[in-house]
Each structure stands twice: as C-alpha cells, then as structure tokens.
C-alpha cells in the first residue's frame, strides 16, 4: 500500500521579476513502511520537497496524496489538523518546549489532537523506552544532551501514529557518535512500528545504509536507487 504518491510536483518562488524553480516535475511513490533518504546538494530542492509533503508549504502545481488523501483539498484549519494527525516531524533543531520535561514534550501533540491524556501518557512512556530514555522522562531539555533531545523529538513525532515521518537533517547538529545513535534509532523505529520515514540528510554513510535513496539536483529527481537485498 502507498503511504505517499507525488505526481508532477512543481514549486516556483517569485522574487519580483525573477522566478526560482525549486521543484520541477517531481514524481515518486513511497510504500507504507519504507525508509527513504532524500539526498542532493544544497539548493537541490530537498527541504522544499519535505516542507510541501509536510503541508508547511503548498505546491505551485502537481498532486500529493498521503495515505490516499490530498491534504491541500482542505482549508488552512483542516490542513493543520491533517498535519497533526497524519505527519510527524523531526527537524535539525529539535524545537522541544523548554518549560516541559521529556515526557510532557512527547505528550503534547496527542493532547492537541484531542486524545485522552491517560492513553497518550501511556504511549509516551512506551515511546520513551523505545528511544532509550525511560530514565530521563522527568528531565527538561536543558538537562539533556543534544542527542537525547533529538531522541525525544523522534518519540514526539510518533505519538499520534502518523502515516508519515519527515526528518530534515536530524543529525546535522550532532557529533559523529550521537549522529550514529540517531541513525540507529530511525532504523529501529522503522522496524518496530513500521513507520514510513523520509529523511533529508547530507550524511552519505547514513544514506548509503538505508534501503532507498532519492537524489535531487536543480529541483528534479536524477536517481532513485535501492540496495540489493
């Protein structure tokens, strides 16, 4: 079954009399449970693609289906609701709320979505264990290392059982040891929860270790490679 279907996606930014073609006729599909690296040089369109898939930006033309639904068929309020229920985000800067502890940060999207607090809290505990941070649940972001903060962000992204996890350079701010830990966590959650994960990364070692890599250049897909297994 398909988690993501992208057809003839274009994104044009207008700067006065100049136009920038950030994405140019991009088409691909991602099956449920796949983990895919999105790679390419700076300015190739990777982050633009991720932001549109995450409904943080809208396409100029083309079609997107996430779990068979077009999120842009709705008004802005419903797009926000779709995003919270169906898409999980992990950014380079983890965006944890400093006034809440690790467990509370993970719980927050579930409460916003209207799920019962007891159910959300129980699931958050399970997710914290999955990322190896059960003993740190009462620690605030300032009391956690960069790698631990990013693991909390990964758990938070999973709290609403999203169809799609989007990660934008999730290990970009980490040293090599913590980056390796984060990379393993992504593979583990993909295996354990069957999460569909798209990861923008400059880390070629990590990308090469994943089963599929989509490479962009100048807003176009120039290769879509799978490891032989």
């Amino acid at each position: 079954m398909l988690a993501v279907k992208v057809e003839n996606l274009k994104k044009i930014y207008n700067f006065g009399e100049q136009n920038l073609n950030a994405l140019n006729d991009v088409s691909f599909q991602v099956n449920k449970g796949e983990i895919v690296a999105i790679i390419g040089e700076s300015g190739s369109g990777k982050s633009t693609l991720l932001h549109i898939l995450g409904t943080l930006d809208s396409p100029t033309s083309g079609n997107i289906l996430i779990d068979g639904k077009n999120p842009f068929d709705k008004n802005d309020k419903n797009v926000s609701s779709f995003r919270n229920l169906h898409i999980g985000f992990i950014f380079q800067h983890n965006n944890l709320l400093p006034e809440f502890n690790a467990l509370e940060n993970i719980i927050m999207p579930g409460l916003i979505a209207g799920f019962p607090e007891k159910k959300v809290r129980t699931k958050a505990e399970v997710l914290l264990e999955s990322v190896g941070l059960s003993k740190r649940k009462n620690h605030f972001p300032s009391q956690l290392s960069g790698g631990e903060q990013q693991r909390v962000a990964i758990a938070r992204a999973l709290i609403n059982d999203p169809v799609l996890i989007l990660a934008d350079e999730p290990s970009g701010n980490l040293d090599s040891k913590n980056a390796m830990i984060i990379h393993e966590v992504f593979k583990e959650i993909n295996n354990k929860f069957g999460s569909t994960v798209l990861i923008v990364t400059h880390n070629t070692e990590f990308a090469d270790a994943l089963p599929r890599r989509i490479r962009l250049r100048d807003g176009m897909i120039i290769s879509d490679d799978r490891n032989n297994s």
Side-chain angles (χ1 to χ4, degrees), residues 24-165:
N24 189 10
D25 203 28
V26 169
S27 299
F28 65 94
Q29 298 179 357
V30 179
N31 292 321
K32 287 188 176 180
E34 273 197 275
I35 181 168
V36 183
I38 308 293
I39 57 177
E41 301 298 324
S42 295
S44 61
K46 304 185 304 298
S47 292
T48 299
L49 175 61
L50 216 66
H51 289 165
I52 293 175
L53 287 173
T55 72
L56 298 174
D57 199 353
S58 58
T60 301
S61 63
N63 296 305
I64 293 173
L65 295 179
I66 296 174
D67 200 27
K69 305 175 185 71
N70 181 353
F72 297 107
D73 277 346
K74 307 171 183 295
N75 61 42
D76 287 343
K77 181 179 179 181
N78 287 331
V79 169
S80 298
S81 176
F82 182 94
R83 183 189 311 131
N84 193 40
L85 287 172
H86 296 284
I87 303 169
F89 288 96
I90 302 105
F91 298 101
Q92 183 173 345
H93 304 284
N94 55 68
N95 297 336
L96 297 180
L97 299 171
E99 65 271 28
F100 295 105
N101 64 32
L103 185 65
E104 291 166 340
N105 265 283
I106 296 168
I107 287 171
M108 195 62 61
L111 297 181
I112 293 171
F115 296 119
E117 182 177 355
K118 184 176 180 181
K119 179 180 179 181
V120 175
R121 184 175 292 273
T122 299
K123 184 170 184 184
E125 299 265 9
V126 172
L127 290 171
L128 265 175
E129 184 177 356
S130 297
V131 298
L133 289 177
S134 290
K135 295 181 179 179
R136 309 283 276 171
K137 68 179 182 180
N138 293 319
H139 287 67
F140 291 87
S142 61
Q143 298 170 311
L144 301 173
S145 70
E148 288 171 336
Q149 290 177 32
Q150 199 62 300
R151 281 187 273 165
V152 172
I154 292 171
R156 179 183 59 185
L158 288 162
I159 192 66
N160 288 343
D161 289 323
V163 173
L164 180 63
I165 298 287

Side-chain angles (χ1 to χ4, degrees), residues 5-21:
K5 184 176 182 180
V6 176
E7 294 181 310
N8 309 118
L9 186 67
K10 292 187 178 183
K11 180 63 180 181
I12 301 172
Y13 292 105
N14 298 310
F15 300 100
E17 296 181 355
Q18 291 186 325
N19 292 330
L20 171 65
N21 293 318

